[in-house]
Each structure stands twice: as structure tokens, then as C-alpha cells.
mmCIF file of all heavy atoms in Angstrom:
data_model
loop_
_atom_site.group_PDB
_atom_site.id
_atom_site.type_symbol
_atom_site.label_atom_id
_atom_site.label_comp_id
_atom_site.label_asym_id
_atom_site.label_seq_id
_atom_site.Cartn_x
_atom_site.Cartn_y
_atom_site.Cartn_z
ATOM 1 N N ILE A 16 75.303 42.190 111.056
ATOM 2 C CA ILE A 16 75.342 41.988 109.605
ATOM 3 C C ILE A 16 75.073 40.471 109.312
ATOM 4 O O ILE A 16 74.317 40.098 108.457
ATOM 5 C CB ILE A 16 76.676 42.383 109.044
ATOM 6 C CG1 ILE A 16 76.805 43.932 109.029
ATOM 7 C CG2 ILE A 16 76.849 41.903 107.577
ATOM 8 C CD1 ILE A 16 75.769 44.663 108.268
ATOM 9 N N ASP A 17 75.779 39.585 110.092
ATOM 10 C CA ASP A 17 75.571 38.152 109.935
ATOM 11 C C ASP A 17 74.222 37.669 110.231
ATOM 12 O O ASP A 17 73.682 36.843 109.442
ATOM 13 C CB ASP A 17 76.526 37.461 110.896
ATOM 14 C CG ASP A 17 77.924 37.515 110.509
ATOM 15 O OD1 ASP A 17 78.201 37.788 109.297
ATOM 16 O OD2 ASP A 17 78.868 37.184 111.331
ATOM 17 N N GLU A 18 73.540 38.290 111.149
ATOM 18 C CA GLU A 18 72.083 37.894 111.499
ATOM 19 C C GLU A 18 71.156 38.311 110.378
ATOM 20 O O GLU A 18 70.242 37.567 109.990
ATOM 21 C CB GLU A 18 71.672 38.346 112.868
ATOM 22 C CG GLU A 18 72.428 37.713 113.972
ATOM 23 C CD GLU A 18 72.209 36.256 114.108
ATOM 24 O OE1 GLU A 18 71.070 35.774 113.805
ATOM 25 O OE2 GLU A 18 73.169 35.550 114.386
ATOM 26 N N PHE A 19 71.377 39.526 109.813
ATOM 27 C CA PHE A 19 70.494 39.936 108.773
ATOM 28 C C PHE A 19 70.823 39.199 107.403
ATOM 29 O O PHE A 19 69.867 38.927 106.640
ATOM 30 C CB PHE A 19 70.602 41.441 108.551
ATOM 31 C CG PHE A 19 69.692 42.257 109.463
ATOM 32 C CD1 PHE A 19 70.091 42.653 110.755
ATOM 33 C CD2 PHE A 19 68.417 42.561 109.059
ATOM 34 C CE1 PHE A 19 69.223 43.354 111.527
ATOM 35 C CE2 PHE A 19 67.537 43.243 109.843
ATOM 36 C CZ PHE A 19 67.961 43.632 111.098
ATOM 37 N N ARG A 20 72.034 38.767 107.218
ATOM 38 C CA ARG A 20 72.422 37.930 106.025
ATOM 39 C C ARG A 20 71.613 36.645 106.208
ATOM 40 O O ARG A 20 71.059 36.128 105.166
ATOM 41 C CB ARG A 20 73.850 37.752 106.027
ATOM 42 C CG ARG A 20 74.267 36.806 104.861
ATOM 43 C CD ARG A 20 75.739 36.441 104.869
ATOM 44 N NE ARG A 20 76.642 37.551 104.654
ATOM 45 C CZ ARG A 20 77.486 38.138 105.505
ATOM 46 N NH1 ARG A 20 77.416 37.750 106.733
ATOM 47 N NH2 ARG A 20 78.193 39.204 105.152
ATOM 48 N N LYS A 21 71.592 36.034 107.338
ATOM 49 C CA LYS A 21 70.924 34.811 107.564
ATOM 50 C C LYS A 21 69.391 34.931 107.267
ATOM 51 O O LYS A 21 68.815 34.091 106.747
ATOM 52 C CB LYS A 21 71.102 34.307 109.009
ATOM 53 C CG LYS A 21 72.494 33.803 109.341
ATOM 54 C CD LYS A 21 72.638 33.407 110.713
ATOM 55 C CE LYS A 21 74.067 33.085 111.181
ATOM 56 N NZ LYS A 21 74.214 32.819 112.621
ATOM 57 N N TRP A 22 68.830 36.110 107.730
ATOM 58 C CA TRP A 22 67.402 36.315 107.493
ATOM 59 C C TRP A 22 67.154 36.409 106.071
ATOM 60 O O TRP A 22 66.146 35.832 105.536
ATOM 61 C CB TRP A 22 66.982 37.590 108.185
ATOM 62 C CG TRP A 22 65.544 37.942 107.946
ATOM 63 C CD1 TRP A 22 64.463 37.531 108.762
ATOM 64 C CD2 TRP A 22 64.960 38.626 106.880
ATOM 65 N NE1 TRP A 22 63.363 37.987 108.214
ATOM 66 C CE2 TRP A 22 63.582 38.635 107.089
ATOM 67 C CE3 TRP A 22 65.468 39.276 105.795
ATOM 68 C CZ2 TRP A 22 62.716 39.363 106.216
ATOM 69 C CZ3 TRP A 22 64.651 39.913 104.870
ATOM 70 C CH2 TRP A 22 63.307 39.970 105.150
ATOM 71 N N PHE A 23 68.029 37.114 105.283
ATOM 72 C CA PHE A 23 67.797 37.232 103.865
ATOM 73 C C PHE A 23 67.851 35.952 103.184
ATOM 74 O O PHE A 23 66.969 35.635 102.276
ATOM 75 C CB PHE A 23 68.908 38.144 103.330
ATOM 76 C CG PHE A 23 68.811 38.550 101.847
ATOM 77 C CD1 PHE A 23 68.152 39.725 101.431
ATOM 78 C CD2 PHE A 23 69.283 37.679 100.861
ATOM 79 C CE1 PHE A 23 68.024 40.083 100.183
ATOM 80 C CE2 PHE A 23 69.146 38.072 99.473
ATOM 81 C CZ PHE A 23 68.528 39.228 99.190
ATOM 82 N N THR A 24 68.724 35.057 103.570
ATOM 83 C CA THR A 24 68.943 33.767 102.954
ATOM 84 C C THR A 24 67.743 32.841 103.290
ATOM 85 O O THR A 24 67.313 32.058 102.432
ATOM 86 C CB THR A 24 70.331 33.098 103.332
ATOM 87 O OG1 THR A 24 71.340 33.977 102.942
ATOM 88 C CG2 THR A 24 70.439 31.761 102.732
ATOM 89 N N LYS A 25 67.307 32.781 104.623
ATOM 90 C CA LYS A 25 66.509 31.761 105.037
ATOM 91 C C LYS A 25 64.950 32.131 104.943
ATOM 92 O O LYS A 25 64.119 31.319 104.774
ATOM 93 C CB LYS A 25 66.796 31.380 106.534
ATOM 94 C CG LYS A 25 68.095 30.764 106.688
ATOM 95 C CD LYS A 25 68.350 30.443 108.189
ATOM 96 C CE LYS A 25 69.675 29.761 108.364
ATOM 97 N NZ LYS A 25 69.929 29.485 109.810
ATOM 98 N N HIS A 26 64.687 33.489 105.133
ATOM 99 C CA HIS A 26 63.295 33.847 105.270
ATOM 100 C C HIS A 26 62.654 34.770 104.202
ATOM 101 O O HIS A 26 61.470 34.815 104.094
ATOM 102 C CB HIS A 26 63.137 34.548 106.667
ATOM 103 C CG HIS A 26 63.572 33.715 107.765
ATOM 104 N ND1 HIS A 26 62.877 32.515 108.162
ATOM 105 C CD2 HIS A 26 64.666 33.781 108.690
ATOM 106 C CE1 HIS A 26 63.488 32.029 109.274
ATOM 107 N NE2 HIS A 26 64.493 32.813 109.540
ATOM 108 N N LEU A 27 63.532 35.418 103.488
ATOM 109 C CA LEU A 27 63.048 36.491 102.514
ATOM 110 C C LEU A 27 62.078 35.837 101.501
ATOM 111 O O LEU A 27 61.029 36.437 101.137
ATOM 112 C CB LEU A 27 64.183 37.204 101.837
ATOM 113 C CG LEU A 27 63.749 38.204 100.761
ATOM 114 C CD1 LEU A 27 62.866 39.297 101.401
ATOM 115 C CD2 LEU A 27 64.910 38.819 100.110
ATOM 116 N N LYS A 28 62.511 34.653 100.923
ATOM 117 C CA LYS A 28 61.653 34.106 99.838
ATOM 118 C C LYS A 28 60.242 33.921 100.301
ATOM 119 O O LYS A 28 59.320 34.174 99.502
ATOM 120 C CB LYS A 28 62.273 32.788 99.350
ATOM 121 C CG LYS A 28 61.700 32.292 98.074
ATOM 122 C CD LYS A 28 62.477 31.110 97.477
ATOM 123 C CE LYS A 28 61.889 30.672 96.181
ATOM 124 N NZ LYS A 28 62.730 29.475 95.668
ATOM 125 N N ASN A 29 60.029 33.443 101.519
ATOM 126 C CA ASN A 29 58.650 33.233 102.000
ATOM 127 C C ASN A 29 57.943 34.517 102.072
ATOM 128 O O ASN A 29 56.717 34.592 101.696
ATOM 129 C CB ASN A 29 58.683 32.598 103.410
ATOM 130 C CG ASN A 29 59.049 31.121 103.319
ATOM 131 O OD1 ASN A 29 58.854 30.434 102.291
ATOM 132 N ND2 ASN A 29 59.638 30.621 104.385
ATOM 133 N N GLU A 30 58.588 35.656 102.402
ATOM 134 C CA GLU A 30 57.890 36.998 102.490
ATOM 135 C C GLU A 30 57.496 37.411 101.144
ATOM 136 O O GLU A 30 56.527 38.188 100.977
ATOM 137 C CB GLU A 30 58.831 37.970 103.092
ATOM 138 C CG GLU A 30 59.295 37.649 104.566
ATOM 139 C CD GLU A 30 58.172 37.583 105.545
ATOM 140 O OE1 GLU A 30 57.143 38.205 105.324
ATOM 141 O OE2 GLU A 30 58.364 36.961 106.580
ATOM 142 N N LEU A 31 58.240 36.987 100.074
ATOM 143 C CA LEU A 31 57.944 37.545 98.765
ATOM 144 C C LEU A 31 56.720 36.851 98.127
ATOM 145 O O LEU A 31 56.168 37.309 97.061
ATOM 146 C CB LEU A 31 59.123 37.317 97.847
ATOM 147 C CG LEU A 31 60.388 38.031 98.196
ATOM 148 C CD1 LEU A 31 61.582 37.683 97.321
ATOM 149 C CD2 LEU A 31 60.221 39.556 98.250
ATOM 150 N N ARG A 32 56.199 35.779 98.664
ATOM 151 C CA ARG A 32 55.061 35.096 98.124
ATOM 152 C C ARG A 32 53.835 35.959 98.298
ATOM 153 O O ARG A 32 52.865 35.869 97.456
ATOM 154 C CB ARG A 32 54.827 33.728 98.722
ATOM 155 C CG ARG A 32 56.049 32.865 98.504
ATOM 156 C CD ARG A 32 55.820 31.456 99.028
ATOM 157 N NE ARG A 32 57.015 30.658 99.060
ATOM 158 C CZ ARG A 32 57.618 30.145 98.039
ATOM 159 N NH1 ARG A 32 57.128 30.197 96.821
ATOM 160 N NH2 ARG A 32 58.805 29.424 98.139
ATOM 161 N N ASP A 33 53.803 36.754 99.286
ATOM 162 C CA ASP A 33 52.618 37.686 99.628
ATOM 163 C C ASP A 33 53.214 38.847 100.300
ATOM 164 O O ASP A 33 53.194 38.864 101.583
ATOM 165 C CB ASP A 33 51.524 37.008 100.349
ATOM 166 C CG ASP A 33 50.343 37.849 100.591
ATOM 167 O OD1 ASP A 33 50.206 38.832 99.830
ATOM 168 O OD2 ASP A 33 49.433 37.548 101.430
ATOM 169 N N VAL A 34 53.735 39.826 99.636
ATOM 170 C CA VAL A 34 54.539 40.895 100.184
ATOM 171 C C VAL A 34 53.623 41.852 101.025
ATOM 172 O O VAL A 34 52.689 42.344 100.579
ATOM 173 C CB VAL A 34 55.285 41.722 99.163
ATOM 174 C CG1 VAL A 34 56.025 42.896 99.776
ATOM 175 C CG2 VAL A 34 56.293 40.780 98.426
ATOM 176 N N ASP A 35 54.035 42.032 102.292
ATOM 177 C CA ASP A 35 53.459 43.071 103.188
ATOM 178 C C ASP A 35 54.639 43.729 103.914
ATOM 179 O O ASP A 35 55.203 43.101 104.857
ATOM 180 C CB ASP A 35 52.467 42.424 104.147
ATOM 181 C CG ASP A 35 51.701 43.446 104.957
ATOM 182 O OD1 ASP A 35 52.283 44.516 105.275
ATOM 183 O OD2 ASP A 35 50.495 43.134 105.332
ATOM 184 N N MET A 36 54.938 44.944 103.519
ATOM 185 C CA MET A 36 56.112 45.629 104.085
ATOM 186 C C MET A 36 56.018 45.851 105.533
ATOM 187 O O MET A 36 56.935 45.909 106.311
ATOM 188 C CB MET A 36 56.453 46.928 103.331
ATOM 189 C CG MET A 36 56.776 46.640 101.854
ATOM 190 S SD MET A 36 58.178 45.502 101.494
ATOM 191 C CE MET A 36 59.506 46.578 101.660
ATOM 192 N N ARG A 37 54.713 46.074 105.994
ATOM 193 C CA ARG A 37 54.506 46.337 107.469
ATOM 194 C C ARG A 37 54.839 45.052 108.231
ATOM 195 O O ARG A 37 55.410 45.130 109.380
ATOM 196 C CB ARG A 37 53.044 46.672 107.714
ATOM 197 C CG ARG A 37 52.780 48.089 107.125
ATOM 198 C CD ARG A 37 51.325 48.387 107.215
ATOM 199 N NE ARG A 37 50.509 47.419 106.398
ATOM 200 C CZ ARG A 37 49.223 47.337 106.343
ATOM 201 N NH1 ARG A 37 48.463 48.252 107.040
ATOM 202 N NH2 ARG A 37 48.573 46.469 105.652
ATOM 203 N N VAL A 38 54.555 43.911 107.731
ATOM 204 C CA VAL A 38 54.871 42.589 108.378
ATOM 205 C C VAL A 38 56.354 42.423 108.400
ATOM 206 O O VAL A 38 56.906 42.046 109.404
ATOM 207 C CB VAL A 38 54.227 41.433 107.671
ATOM 208 C CG1 VAL A 38 54.676 40.041 108.134
ATOM 209 C CG2 VAL A 38 52.665 41.567 107.807
ATOM 210 N N ILE A 39 57.006 42.693 107.295
ATOM 211 C CA ILE A 39 58.450 42.603 107.282
ATOM 212 C C ILE A 39 59.167 43.516 108.311
ATOM 213 O O ILE A 39 60.036 43.229 108.999
ATOM 214 C CB ILE A 39 59.032 42.844 105.881
ATOM 215 C CG1 ILE A 39 58.562 41.688 104.903
ATOM 216 C CG2 ILE A 39 60.537 42.896 105.830
ATOM 217 C CD1 ILE A 39 58.898 41.922 103.466
ATOM 218 N N GLY A 40 58.530 44.743 108.332
ATOM 219 C CA GLY A 40 58.998 45.720 109.394
ATOM 220 C C GLY A 40 58.948 45.222 110.767
ATOM 221 O O GLY A 40 59.830 45.413 111.501
ATOM 222 N N SER A 41 57.798 44.583 111.030
ATOM 223 C CA SER A 41 57.676 44.067 112.360
ATOM 224 C C SER A 41 58.677 42.948 112.704
ATOM 225 O O SER A 41 59.165 42.892 113.807
ATOM 226 C CB SER A 41 56.240 43.502 112.489
ATOM 227 O OG SER A 41 55.242 44.577 112.462
#
């Protein structure tokens, strides 16, 4: 849970600039 919380805080915004769910899945 802690590691996914960190991912959400640190990395999600960059993924939202050009969303590709397959990339996020990888």
C-alpha cells in the first residue's frame, strides 16, 4: 500500500499528460 501511495503521489501526474493505460499497466 505504501509503495503504490508513493507512486500515486510522485508519478501519476506525469502519466496524465498523455494517458496510455497500457503503459501504466506495464
Side-chain angles (χ1 to χ4, degrees):
I16 294 298
D17 286 344
E18 291 300 320
F19 274 88
R20 180 187 289 111
K21 291 175 186 175
W22 180 89
F23 187 95
T24 301
K25 294 180 179 179
H26 301 293
L27 176 59
K28 191 171 182 178
N29 287 335
E30 301 295 338
L31 296 178
R32 300 185 193 283
D33 185 16
V34 176
D35 188 326
M36 300 303 275
R37 293 171 298 177
V38 170
I39 295 174
S41 296

